[in-house]
Amino acid sequence: MIRTVKMKTNTLKKREDALPEIPTAVRVGHWEWDIVQDEVHLSEGACKIFEIIPHECTVTFNRFLSYMHPDERECIRKSVHEALRGKGACVFTFRIASRDTEERFIHAVAEVVFEETGKALRAIGTVLDITERKRTEEELCLLQSITMTISEAGDFDSVLKNVLYKVCTYTKWIYGEVWLVSPDSKYLEYRMAWHGNSKELEKLKVRSRGLTFSAGFGLPGRVWSMKKPEWVLESDVQKNFPHAQFLKEFGFKVAIGIPVIAHNEVIAVLTFFVWEQQEEDSRLIRFISSVAAHLGPLIQRKRIEQALYNNEEKLQAILNNATALISVKDVQGKYTFINTSCEKKFHIKKEEVEGKTDYDIFSRDIAQKVRENDLKVIREKTSLEFEEIIPAEDGLHTYISVKFPLYDSQGVVNAVCCISTDITGRKQIEELKDQLYHAQRLESIGTLAGGISHDFNNLLAIILGYGNLLCKELEVENDSQSMIYVHKILASAERASKLTKGLLTFSRKQQNNPKSVNLNEIIRRIESILVRIISEDIQLKTVFVDEDCMVMADSNQIEQVLMNLATNARDAMPNGGFLTIKTEIVKLDDGFIRYYGYGEVGKYVLISVSDNGVGIDRETRKRIFEPFFTTKEVGKGTGLGLSIVYGIVKQHRGYINVHSEVGKGTTFKIYIPVVESGAEKIKPEPQTIQGNRETVNSQDAIQKFIGNNQFQPFPKGGNETVLLAEDEKEVRKLTRIVLEKAGYKVIEAINGMDAIQNFTRNKNKIHFLILDVVMPVKDGKKVYDVIRQMKPDIKVLFISGYSEEIISRKDIMKDGLYFITKPISPDELLGKVREILDT
């Protein structure tokens, strides 16, 4: 037995002799307890661990227990006694209090030696200081806990709060703060603080809010600039902070600053405070630095995640508050996203549209066009702009759609984003501006036409008058060759007269005679004439609405419109085709007016004149109603046909537009307001067929004019005295010659006042008045009113080269007076004079 004990004792000594080879950070020793003598022998290593002097290396067992923490002695005693009763080896871990009051952790192992009778004789064991290992394990556990906390935290502030709490709890430091580098990297700003349950420390936290540190200033600023930890004692604590007075009042003795680094840049600084004075603890600095090392990348990640989340929230807010329609479709054309504006516009939810295509939402034609645009963006891999038509509740809307490709991580196009802006209103404004400009331009031309009609008609009157006189003299001389020349001059003058009338019609200066009529009846009546206007290889088709199309209209002018449009259609179908005239009853509502930019709410008769001819391009459509604008070669048209149509429609308070595409034909749509009163029956009248640019077959007309006008002597004249008031000298001279050749006596007046004076001097001689309506000093109507007071039964004939609109304003038509427009042929003038005198 003694031999066994000696062997184990020698083994423990050899182990202790080998201890110098173990790093000094690991402290180990052995102990031996003589149970019979109750003596515990401690080796030198064990004495160092328990911090006892060498002469106490042999103590009693109770004295040995006194080196251990009071809370653990009883547990150790029980463990030893269990081993003494043969229950196995004795293994236990306990704490001791070192002289610097720091707790240390000791791990002990002992083996009991028994005699043959089973009595315990000795316990031989080792002690190992595991304080550093224990602390390392605790720190690793804490770091793991902090890492998990950071990873699982829902937001950035929760991460910081948990880190401060865990570090302060572990280190027993009572107050911690986080300072973050500002977005512009110019200063550190307060972000978060943690403290124990103390109202006073809450005041300190409030005081820290709003503070900032520039680089190098104060403890946080120095740590930021130096990128390394700093341990600050009491004197420095109270002078390195802007709120030093507060720190002094709280009695903080030590502060520590730790940088939080990510990608070699300080992104935050941690500061901690404690009341007890402590020397710089490199282990504590290393531990908190380890925490900061783990915290840095995670804080940066959280900040990035927070920034991404914030950006996503902002982006979502921008998308949903944008007035534009924003959508995303994958390369198969399936919707993956629409914004709130899309939902409101089309009354559909995001969930309902996801996975659907344009073909599921719009008509095939519209969907096909939109899909073609998407595919073009995918093919060309670039941003493109399109003008797209999309239906809405109030009709079709025009959008400018900017479309651009979206790419996956491999750079492959996987979606198309579309931002569409409704430009319907802008388009309508542009169209309204174009229409206004067009109307102003046409009105200017109309004003010009009305203004020059007087002078032009006077010139034509002179040409026709003297031409007719010349014809009569040549007839007497039997000069047939000269007669042909004069007839051609007169035919051209007649054509010029018709052009003037056409201009006046376009400018709406001609008086119309509106009555309540049925447009269906007008079209039926003129149908046979239209068939003669168009060629045999063009088929005319009429489609009438099954109800009366009652409007207030001048039947002759409506017929003129239809004939001009039919002539245009004929010219657009040189190889034959179809001409369709259709009537409908339509209602113009606010949506129609907003979309087309014209009209008044109400019922209208819609006359559609359609052909399947060559069509009209966009630029030509812009000018199609302008007078003298023609696409025909010189000599083939005057460019007044559609201008006359435009003027007549406007004069009837109607609207006209044209729909046409090159190669797809043309449709003119005419809207005329409906009236409820009964229509007058239209009596058939001889028709003068006119084309859209000129009298149909003008050469035939000239020959007809020459053949049917074998000039006879002047119509029946008389010997009465006529007062002729005309301010245009040449017209006055011509009229006098015509009258005198017919036997009349003529007294001339150059203006209205001269006419009154001449009548006053010759009132008993004068039987008849020929008065120009518009004259200087006093107009013809006023002259007549004065003369009538002197001679109530005086007879009068008014003449004028001005438009009927001006004549109407003079009340001549209203009073039932005789009126004739210039140019006037000699026969027409003499016939009218004789007619009035004989009445």
Side-chain angles (χ1 to χ4, degrees), residues 310-328 336-344 350 404 406 417-420:
N310 292 338
N311 288 339
E312 184 177 349
E313 288 289 306
K314 291 177 182 177
L315 179 60
Q316 194 70 33
I318 291 171
L319 293 177
N320 286 330
N321 287 285
T323 56
L325 306 182
I326 303 175
S327 62
V328 178
T336 59
F337 170 82
I338 61 171
N339 70 338
T340 304
S341 293
C342 285
E343 292 182 311
K344 293 179 179 177
K350 295 177 183 178
F404 51 91
L406 301 178
C417 181
C418 176
I419 302 175
S420 298

PDB file of all heavy atoms in Angstrom, residues 310-328 336-344 350 404 406 417-420:
ATOM      1  N   ASN A 310     -36.040  51.505 -46.854  1.00  0.00           N
ATOM      2  CA  ASN A 310     -36.536  52.883 -46.964  1.00  0.00           C
ATOM      3  C   ASN A 310     -36.689  53.287 -48.433  1.00  0.00           C
ATOM      4  O   ASN A 310     -37.669  53.933 -48.818  1.00  0.00           O
ATOM      5  CB  ASN A 310     -35.601  53.843 -46.244  1.00  0.00           C
ATOM      6  CG  ASN A 310     -35.620  53.649 -44.745  1.00  0.00           C
ATOM      7  OD1 ASN A 310     -36.579  53.102 -44.193  1.00  0.00           O
ATOM      8  ND2 ASN A 310     -34.563  54.086 -44.068  1.00  0.00           N
ATOM      9  N   ASN A 311     -35.661  52.900 -49.221  1.00  0.00           N
ATOM     10  CA  ASN A 311     -35.746  53.229 -50.653  1.00  0.00           C
ATOM     11  C   ASN A 311     -36.921  52.526 -51.321  1.00  0.00           C
ATOM     12  O   ASN A 311     -37.594  53.092 -52.179  1.00  0.00           O
ATOM     13  CB  ASN A 311     -34.437  52.852 -51.350  1.00  0.00           C
ATOM     14  CG  ASN A 311     -33.299  53.789 -50.981  1.00  0.00           C
ATOM     15  OD1 ASN A 311     -33.531  54.908 -50.546  1.00  0.00           O
ATOM     16  ND2 ASN A 311     -32.074  53.332 -51.138  1.00  0.00           N
ATOM     17  N   GLU A 312     -37.122  51.268 -50.896  1.00  0.00           N
ATOM     18  CA  GLU A 312     -38.245  50.525 -51.467  1.00  0.00           C
ATOM     19  C   GLU A 312     -39.572  51.176 -51.079  1.00  0.00           C
ATOM     20  O   GLU A 312     -40.483  51.299 -51.904  1.00  0.00           O
ATOM     21  CB  GLU A 312     -38.210  49.077 -50.985  1.00  0.00           C
ATOM     22  CG  GLU A 312     -39.292  48.208 -51.624  1.00  0.00           C
ATOM     23  CD  GLU A 312     -39.185  46.756 -51.195  1.00  0.00           C
ATOM     24  OE1 GLU A 312     -38.158  46.398 -50.582  1.00  0.00           O
ATOM     25  OE2 GLU A 312     -40.124  46.005 -51.468  1.00  0.00           O
ATOM     26  N   GLU A 313     -39.628  51.616 -49.804  1.00  0.00           N
ATOM     27  CA  GLU A 313     -40.843  52.297 -49.360  1.00  0.00           C
ATOM     28  C   GLU A 313     -41.043  53.597 -50.133  1.00  0.00           C
ATOM     29  O   GLU A 313     -42.154  53.919 -50.562  1.00  0.00           O
ATOM     30  CB  GLU A 313     -40.738  52.603 -47.863  1.00  0.00           C
ATOM     31  CG  GLU A 313     -40.859  51.387 -46.970  1.00  0.00           C
ATOM     32  CD  GLU A 313     -42.282  50.842 -46.948  1.00  0.00           C
ATOM     33  OE1 GLU A 313     -43.216  51.604 -46.664  1.00  0.00           O
ATOM     34  OE2 GLU A 313     -42.451  49.650 -47.257  1.00  0.00           O
ATOM     35  N   LYS A 314     -39.955  54.344 -50.319  1.00  0.00           N
ATOM     36  CA  LYS A 314     -40.049  55.586 -51.076  1.00  0.00           C
ATOM     37  C   LYS A 314     -40.438  55.311 -52.519  1.00  0.00           C
ATOM     38  O   LYS A 314     -41.283  56.005 -53.095  1.00  0.00           O
ATOM     39  CB  LYS A 314     -38.712  56.340 -51.028  1.00  0.00           C
ATOM     40  CG  LYS A 314     -38.366  56.908 -49.661  1.00  0.00           C
ATOM     41  CD  LYS A 314     -37.002  57.583 -49.683  1.00  0.00           C
ATOM     42  CE  LYS A 314     -36.634  58.120 -48.303  1.00  0.00           C
ATOM     43  NZ  LYS A 314     -35.279  58.717 -48.287  1.00  0.00           N
ATOM     44  N   LEU A 315     -39.772  54.297 -53.100  1.00  0.00           N
ATOM     45  CA  LEU A 315     -40.084  53.946 -54.484  1.00  0.00           C
ATOM     46  C   LEU A 315     -41.543  53.532 -54.619  1.00  0.00           C
ATOM     47  O   LEU A 315     -42.233  53.945 -55.560  1.00  0.00           O
ATOM     48  CB  LEU A 315     -39.167  52.819 -54.947  1.00  0.00           C
ATOM     49  CG  LEU A 315     -39.400  52.313 -56.390  1.00  0.00           C
ATOM     50  CD1 LEU A 315     -39.207  53.437 -57.392  1.00  0.00           C
ATOM     51  CD2 LEU A 315     -38.470  51.155 -56.702  1.00  0.00           C
ATOM     52  N   GLN A 316     -42.001  52.725 -53.643  1.00  0.00           N
ATOM     53  CA  GLN A 316     -43.401  52.295 -53.694  1.00  0.00           C
ATOM     54  C   GLN A 316     -44.327  53.491 -53.559  1.00  0.00           C
ATOM     55  O   GLN A 316     -45.350  53.580 -54.256  1.00  0.00           O
ATOM     56  CB  GLN A 316     -43.663  51.298 -52.565  1.00  0.00           C
ATOM     57  CG  GLN A 316     -44.970  50.533 -52.696  1.00  0.00           C
ATOM     58  CD  GLN A 316     -44.953  49.541 -53.837  1.00  0.00           C
ATOM     59  OE1 GLN A 316     -43.909  48.983 -54.144  1.00  0.00           O
ATOM     60  NE2 GLN A 316     -46.076  49.340 -54.483  1.00  0.00           N
ATOM     61  N   ALA A 317     -43.966  54.429 -52.678  1.00  0.00           N
ATOM     62  CA  ALA A 317     -44.790  55.630 -52.518  1.00  0.00           C
ATOM     63  C   ALA A 317     -44.789  56.465 -53.788  1.00  0.00           C
ATOM     64  O   ALA A 317     -45.826  56.996 -54.204  1.00  0.00           O
ATOM     65  CB  ALA A 317     -44.273  56.449 -51.333  1.00  0.00           C
ATOM     66  N   ILE A 318     -43.605  56.576 -54.397  1.00  0.00           N
ATOM     67  CA  ILE A 318     -43.510  57.344 -55.644  1.00  0.00           C
ATOM     68  C   ILE A 318     -44.351  56.691 -56.730  1.00  0.00           C
ATOM     69  O   ILE A 318     -45.122  57.365 -57.435  1.00  0.00           O
ATOM     70  CB  ILE A 318     -42.037  57.461 -56.088  1.00  0.00           C
ATOM     71  CG1 ILE A 318     -41.256  58.362 -55.116  1.00  0.00           C
ATOM     72  CG2 ILE A 318     -41.941  58.013 -57.508  1.00  0.00           C
ATOM     73  CD1 ILE A 318     -39.763  58.349 -55.348  1.00  0.00           C
ATOM     74  N   LEU A 319     -44.206  55.373 -56.862  1.00  0.00           N
ATOM     75  CA  LEU A 319     -44.950  54.660 -57.905  1.00  0.00           C
ATOM     76  C   LEU A 319     -46.451  54.790 -57.701  1.00  0.00           C
ATOM     77  O   LEU A 319     -47.204  55.014 -58.651  1.00  0.00           O
ATOM     78  CB  LEU A 319     -44.547  53.185 -57.910  1.00  0.00           C
ATOM     79  CG  LEU A 319     -43.109  52.864 -58.343  1.00  0.00           C
ATOM     80  CD1 LEU A 319     -42.840  51.373 -58.219  1.00  0.00           C
ATOM     81  CD2 LEU A 319     -42.848  53.324 -59.762  1.00  0.00           C
ATOM     82  N   ASN A 320     -46.887  54.669 -56.446  1.00  0.00           N
ATOM     83  CA  ASN A 320     -48.320  54.662 -56.184  1.00  0.00           C
ATOM     84  C   ASN A 320     -48.921  56.058 -56.192  1.00  0.00           C
ATOM     85  O   ASN A 320     -50.130  56.206 -56.371  1.00  0.00           O
ATOM     86  CB  ASN A 320     -48.619  53.969 -54.853  1.00  0.00           C
ATOM     87  CG  ASN A 320     -48.469  52.464 -54.953  1.00  0.00           C
ATOM     88  OD1 ASN A 320     -48.682  51.879 -56.000  1.00  0.00           O
ATOM     89  ND2 ASN A 320     -48.085  51.838 -53.864  1.00  0.00           N
ATOM     90  N   ASN A 321     -48.094  57.069 -55.976  1.00  0.00           N
ATOM     91  CA  ASN A 321     -48.612  58.439 -55.994  1.00  0.00           C
ATOM     92  C   ASN A 321     -48.386  59.122 -57.338  1.00  0.00           C
ATOM     93  O   ASN A 321     -48.831  60.252 -57.538  1.00  0.00           O
ATOM     94  CB  ASN A 321     -47.969  59.271 -54.878  1.00  0.00           C
ATOM     95  CG  ASN A 321     -48.504  58.891 -53.513  1.00  0.00           C
ATOM     96  OD1 ASN A 321     -49.614  59.242 -53.142  1.00  0.00           O
ATOM     97  ND2 ASN A 321     -47.715  58.145 -52.757  1.00  0.00           N
ATOM     98  N   ALA A 322     -47.672  58.456 -58.228  1.00  0.00           N
ATOM     99  CA  ALA A 322     -47.444  59.023 -59.557  1.00  0.00           C
ATOM    100  C   ALA A 322     -48.759  59.029 -60.339  1.00  0.00           C
ATOM    101  O   ALA A 322     -49.537  58.080 -60.292  1.00  0.00           O
ATOM    102  CB  ALA A 322     -46.394  58.210 -60.318  1.00  0.00           C
ATOM    103  N   THR A 323     -49.012  60.128 -61.044  1.00  0.00           N
ATOM    104  CA  THR A 323     -50.219  60.210 -61.864  1.00  0.00           C
ATOM    105  C   THR A 323     -50.077  59.389 -63.137  1.00  0.00           C
ATOM    106  O   THR A 323     -51.083  59.017 -63.754  1.00  0.00           O
ATOM    107  CB  THR A 323     -50.521  61.664 -62.225  1.00  0.00           C
ATOM    108  OG1 THR A 323     -49.373  62.235 -62.884  1.00  0.00           O
ATOM    109  CG2 THR A 323     -50.829  62.471 -60.980  1.00  0.00           C
ATOM    110  N   ALA A 324     -48.842  59.112 -63.530  1.00  0.00           N
ATOM    111  CA  ALA A 324     -48.626  58.290 -64.727  1.00  0.00           C
ATOM    112  C   ALA A 324     -49.016  56.842 -64.437  1.00  0.00           C
ATOM    113  O   ALA A 324     -49.005  56.387 -63.291  1.00  0.00           O
ATOM    114  CB  ALA A 324     -47.166  58.366 -65.163  1.00  0.00           C
ATOM    115  N   LEU A 325     -49.366  56.122 -65.489  1.00  0.00           N
ATOM    116  CA  LEU A 325     -49.653  54.699 -65.361  1.00  0.00           C
ATOM    117  C   LEU A 325     -48.338  53.927 -65.476  1.00  0.00           C
ATOM    118  O   LEU A 325     -47.638  54.045 -66.485  1.00  0.00           O
ATOM    119  CB  LEU A 325     -50.617  54.246 -66.451  1.00  0.00           C
ATOM    120  CG  LEU A 325     -51.929  55.020 -66.581  1.00  0.00           C
ATOM    121  CD1 LEU A 325     -52.798  54.410 -67.676  1.00  0.00           C
ATOM    122  CD2 LEU A 325     -52.688  55.052 -65.266  1.00  0.00           C
ATOM    123  N   ILE A 326     -47.988  53.166 -64.443  1.00  0.00           N
ATOM    124  CA  ILE A 326     -46.717  52.437 -64.414  1.00  0.00           C
ATOM    125  C   ILE A 326     -47.013  50.950 -64.291  1.00  0.00           C
ATOM    126  O   ILE A 326     -47.784  50.528 -63.425  1.00  0.00           O
ATOM    127  CB  ILE A 326     -45.833  52.914 -63.250  1.00  0.00           C
ATOM    128  CG1 ILE A 326     -45.594  54.430 -63.358  1.00  0.00           C
ATOM    129  CG2 ILE A 326     -44.508  52.158 -63.236  1.00  0.00           C
ATOM    130  CD1 ILE A 326     -44.833  55.012 -62.200  1.00  0.00           C
ATOM    131  N   SER A 327     -46.409  50.178 -65.163  1.00  0.00           N
ATOM    132  CA  SER A 327     -46.629  48.736 -65.136  1.00  0.00           C
ATOM    133  C   SER A 327     -45.349  48.011 -65.520  1.00  0.00           C
ATOM    134  O   SER A 327     -44.456  48.592 -66.137  1.00  0.00           O
ATOM    135  CB  SER A 327     -47.750  48.345 -66.112  1.00  0.00           C
ATOM    136  OG  SER A 327     -47.395  48.675 -67.445  1.00  0.00           O
ATOM    137  N   VAL A 328     -45.271  46.736 -65.128  1.00  0.00           N
ATOM    138  CA  VAL A 328     -44.142  45.875 -65.487  1.00  0.00           C
ATOM    139  C   VAL A 328     -44.719  44.568 -66.021  1.00  0.00           C
ATOM    140  O   VAL A 328     -45.628  43.985 -65.416  1.00  0.00           O
ATOM    141  CB  VAL A 328     -43.228  45.602 -64.278  1.00  0.00           C
ATOM    142  CG1 VAL A 328     -42.094  44.671 -64.681  1.00  0.00           C
ATOM    143  CG2 VAL A 328     -42.665  46.911 -63.729  1.00  0.00           C
ATOM    144  N   THR A 336     -46.680  41.768 -64.042  1.00  0.00           N
ATOM    145  CA  THR A 336     -46.150  41.436 -62.723  1.00  0.00           C
ATOM    146  C   THR A 336     -46.345  42.574 -61.728  1.00  0.00           C
ATOM    147  O   THR A 336     -46.214  42.382 -60.528  1.00  0.00           O
ATOM    148  CB  THR A 336     -44.651  41.103 -62.808  1.00  0.00           C
ATOM    149  OG1 THR A 336     -43.940  42.248 -63.344  1.00  0.00           O
ATOM    150  CG2 THR A 336     -44.415  39.893 -63.715  1.00  0.00           C
ATOM    151  N   PHE A 337     -46.663  43.761 -62.241  1.00  0.00           N
ATOM    152  CA  PHE A 337     -46.872  44.917 -61.354  1.00  0.00           C
ATOM    153  C   PHE A 337     -47.667  45.988 -62.076  1.00  0.00           C
ATOM    154  O   PHE A 337     -47.470  46.223 -63.270  1.00  0.00           O
ATOM    155  CB  PHE A 337     -45.522  45.496 -60.906  1.00  0.00           C
ATOM    156  CG  PHE A 337     -45.661  46.822 -60.192  1.00  0.00           C
ATOM    157  CD1 PHE A 337     -45.986  46.870 -58.843  1.00  0.00           C
ATOM    158  CD2 PHE A 337     -45.498  48.032 -60.878  1.00  0.00           C
ATOM    159  CE1 PHE A 337     -46.135  48.079 -58.195  1.00  0.00           C
ATOM    160  CE2 PHE A 337     -45.635  49.234 -60.233  1.00  0.00           C
ATOM    161  CZ  PHE A 337     -45.953  49.273 -58.875  1.00  0.00           C
ATOM    162  N   ILE A 338     -48.595  46.620 -61.347  1.00  0.00           N
ATOM    163  CA  ILE A 338     -49.223  47.867 -61.793  1.00  0.00           C
ATOM    164  C   ILE A 338     -49.318  48.787 -60.584  1.00  0.00           C
ATOM    165  O   ILE A 338     -49.452  48.315 -59.454  1.00  0.00           O
ATOM    166  CB  ILE A 338     -50.621  47.647 -62.414  1.00  0.00           C
ATOM    167  CG1 ILE A 338     -51.585  47.025 -61.395  1.00  0.00           C
ATOM    168  CG2 ILE A 338     -50.551  46.837 -63.687  1.00  0.00           C
ATOM    169  CD1 ILE A 338     -53.026  46.992 -61.868  1.00  0.00           C
ATOM    170  N   ASN A 339     -49.229  50.091 -60.810  1.00  0.00           N
ATOM    171  CA  ASN A 339     -49.305  51.023 -59.687  1.00  0.00           C
ATOM    172  C   ASN A 339     -50.756  51.416 -59.406  1.00  0.00           C
ATOM    173  O   ASN A 339     -51.695  51.000 -60.104  1.00  0.00           O
ATOM    174  CB  ASN A 339     -48.424  52.248 -59.930  1.00  0.00           C
ATOM    175  CG  ASN A 339     -48.974  53.147 -61.024  1.00  0.00           C
ATOM    176  OD1 ASN A 339     -49.755  52.717 -61.868  1.00  0.00           O
ATOM    177  ND2 ASN A 339     -48.558  54.396 -61.027  1.00  0.00           N
ATOM    178  N   THR A 340     -50.939  52.237 -58.385  1.00  0.00           N
ATOM    179  CA  THR A 340     -52.281  52.613 -57.943  1.00  0.00           C
ATOM    180  C   THR A 340     -53.045  53.357 -59.023  1.00  0.00           C
ATOM    181  O   THR A 340     -54.262  53.191 -59.166  1.00  0.00           O
ATOM    182  CB  THR A 340     -52.191  53.478 -56.671  1.00  0.00           C
ATOM    183  OG1 THR A 340     -51.470  52.757 -55.668  1.00  0.00           O
ATOM    184  CG2 THR A 340     -53.566  53.814 -56.135  1.00  0.00           C
ATOM    185  N   SER A 341     -52.347  54.178 -59.806  1.00  0.00           N
ATOM    186  CA  SER A 341     -53.022  54.917 -60.878  1.00  0.00           C
ATOM    187  C   SER A 341     -53.636  53.959 -61.893  1.00  0.00           C
ATOM    188  O   SER A 341     -54.734  54.209 -62.406  1.00  0.00           O
ATOM    189  CB  SER A 341     -52.036  55.870 -61.572  1.00  0.00           C
ATOM    190  OG  SER A 341     -51.636  56.896 -60.703  1.00  0.00           O
ATOM    191  N   CYS A 342     -52.934  52.873 -62.196  1.00  0.00           N
ATOM    192  CA  CYS A 342     -53.496  51.859 -63.099  1.00  0.00           C
ATOM    193  C   CYS A 342     -54.740  51.227 -62.484  1.00  0.00           C
ATOM    194  O   CYS A 342     -55.742  51.005 -63.181  1.00  0.00           O
ATOM    195  CB  CYS A 342     -52.464  50.776 -63.394  1.00  0.00           C
ATOM    196  SG  CYS A 342     -51.156  51.257 -64.527  1.00  0.00           S
ATOM    197  N   GLU A 343     -54.674  50.930 -61.190  1.00  0.00           N
ATOM    198  CA  GLU A 343     -55.820  50.326 -60.525  1.00  0.00           C
ATOM    199  C   GLU A 343     -57.052  51.230 -60.614  1.00  0.00           C
ATOM    200  O   GLU A 343     -58.157  50.776 -60.913  1.00  0.00           O
ATOM    201  CB  GLU A 343     -55.493  50.043 -59.058  1.00  0.00           C
ATOM    202  CG  GLU A 343     -54.458  48.957 -58.836  1.00  0.00           C
ATOM    203  CD  GLU A 343     -54.218  48.684 -57.372  1.00  0.00           C
ATOM    204  OE1 GLU A 343     -54.006  49.652 -56.609  1.00  0.00           O
ATOM    205  OE2 GLU A 343     -54.263  47.508 -56.975  1.00  0.00           O
ATOM    206  N   LYS A 344     -56.831  52.532 -60.352  1.00  0.00           N
ATOM    207  CA  LYS A 344     -57.956  53.464 -60.377  1.00  0.00           C
ATOM    208  C   LYS A 344     -58.469  53.687 -61.794  1.00  0.00           C
ATOM    209  O   LYS A 344     -59.677  53.780 -62.016  1.00  0.00           O
ATOM    210  CB  LYS A 344     -57.526  54.798 -59.759  1.00  0.00           C
ATOM    211  CG  LYS A 344     -57.220  54.724 -58.278  1.00  0.00           C
ATOM    212  CD  LYS A 344     -56.767  56.076 -57.742  1.00  0.00           C
ATOM    213  CE  LYS A 344     -56.479  56.009 -56.255  1.00  0.00           C
ATOM    214  NZ  LYS A 344     -55.978  57.309 -55.737  1.00  0.00           N
ATOM    215  N   LYS A 350     -54.249  44.902 -58.305  1.00  0.00           N
ATOM    216  CA  LYS A 350     -52.968  44.309 -58.702  1.00  0.00           C
ATOM    217  C   LYS A 350     -53.071  42.788 -58.738  1.00  0.00           C
ATOM    218  O   LYS A 350     -52.553  42.144 -59.657  1.00  0.00           O
ATOM    219  CB  LYS A 350     -51.869  44.729 -57.712  1.00  0.00           C
ATOM    220  CG  LYS A 350     -51.563  46.215 -57.702  1.00  0.00           C
ATOM    221  CD  LYS A 350     -50.520  46.540 -56.653  1.00  0.00           C
ATOM    222  CE  LYS A 350     -50.259  48.046 -56.586  1.00  0.00           C
ATOM    223  NZ  LYS A 350     -49.288  48.407 -55.546  1.00  0.00           N
ATOM    224  N   PHE A 404     -38.879  50.659 -71.234  1.00  0.00           N
ATOM    225  CA  PHE A 404     -37.454  50.322 -71.155  1.00  0.00           C
ATOM    226  C   PHE A 404     -37.297  48.911 -70.581  1.00  0.00           C
ATOM    227  O   PHE A 404     -38.140  48.438 -69.816  1.00  0.00           O
ATOM    228  CB  PHE A 404     -36.689  51.332 -70.299  1.00  0.00           C
ATOM    229  CG  PHE A 404     -37.294  51.600 -68.947  1.00  0.00           C
ATOM    230  CD1 PHE A 404     -36.921  50.851 -67.840  1.00  0.00           C
ATOM    231  CD2 PHE A 404     -38.239  52.597 -68.796  1.00  0.00           C
ATOM    232  CE1 PHE A 404     -37.480  51.098 -66.605  1.00  0.00           C
ATOM    233  CE2 PHE A 404     -38.807  52.848 -67.554  1.00  0.00           C
ATOM    234  CZ  PHE A 404     -38.428  52.094 -66.453  1.00  0.00           C
ATOM    235  N   LEU A 406     -35.836  45.678 -68.401  1.00  0.00           N
ATOM    236  CA  LEU A 406     -35.281  45.355 -67.087  1.00  0.00           C
ATOM    237  C   LEU A 406     -34.479  44.061 -67.238  1.00  0.00           C
ATOM    238  O   LEU A 406     -34.868  43.159 -67.995  1.00  0.00           O
ATOM    239  CB  LEU A 406     -36.392  45.172 -66.057  1.00  0.00           C
ATOM    240  CG  LEU A 406     -37.312  46.382 -65.836  1.00  0.00           C
ATOM    241  CD1 LEU A 406     -38.397  46.039 -64.821  1.00  0.00           C
ATOM    242  CD2 LEU A 406     -36.530  47.602 -65.382  1.00  0.00           C
ATOM    243  N   CYS A 417     -40.635  47.606 -68.412  1.00  0.00           N
ATOM    244  CA  CYS A 417     -41.339  48.587 -67.579  1.00  0.00           C
ATOM    245  C   CYS A 417     -41.921  49.667 -68.488  1.00  0.00           C
ATOM    246  O   CYS A 417     -41.252  50.124 -69.425  1.00  0.00           O
ATOM    247  CB  CYS A 417     -40.405  49.209 -66.548  1.00  0.00           C
ATOM    248  SG  CYS A 417     -41.235  50.405 -65.458  1.00  0.00           S
ATOM    249  N   CYS A 418     -43.139  50.065 -68.195  1.00  0.00           N
ATOM    250  CA  CYS A 418     -43.831  51.060 -69.024  1.00  0.00           C
ATOM    251  C   CYS A 418     -44.340  52.188 -68.133  1.00  0.00           C
ATOM    252  O   CYS A 418     -44.997  51.946 -67.118  1.00  0.00           O
ATOM    253  CB  CYS A 418     -44.987  50.418 -69.778  1.00  0.00           C
ATOM    254  SG  CYS A 418     -45.968  51.590 -70.720  1.00  0.00           S
ATOM    255  N   ILE A 419     -44.014  53.428 -68.511  1.00  0.00           N
ATOM    256  CA  ILE A 419     -44.529  54.618 -67.835  1.00  0.00           C
ATOM    257  C   ILE A 419     -45.333  55.399 -68.868  1.00  0.00           C
ATOM    258  O   ILE A 419     -44.776  55.923 -69.829  1.00  0.00           O
ATOM    259  CB  ILE A 419     -43.402  55.480 -67.264  1.00  0.00           C
ATOM    260  CG1 ILE A 419     -42.544  54.660 -66.284  1.00  0.00           C
ATOM    261  CG2 ILE A 419     -43.955  56.717 -66.570  1.00  0.00           C
ATOM    262  CD1 ILE A 419     -41.335  55.404 -65.750  1.00  0.00           C
ATOM    263  N   SER A 420     -46.654  55.449 -68.663  1.00  0.00           N
ATOM    264  CA  SER A 420     -47.555  56.047 -69.647  1.00  0.00           C
ATOM    265  C   SER A 420     -48.187  57.317 -69.086  1.00  0.00           C
ATOM    266  O   SER A 420     -48.712  57.310 -67.969  1.00  0.00           O
ATOM    267  CB  SER A 420     -48.661  55.058 -70.041  1.00  0.00           C
ATOM    268  OG  SER A 420     -48.108  53.906 -70.644  1.00  0.00           O
TER     269      SER A 420
END
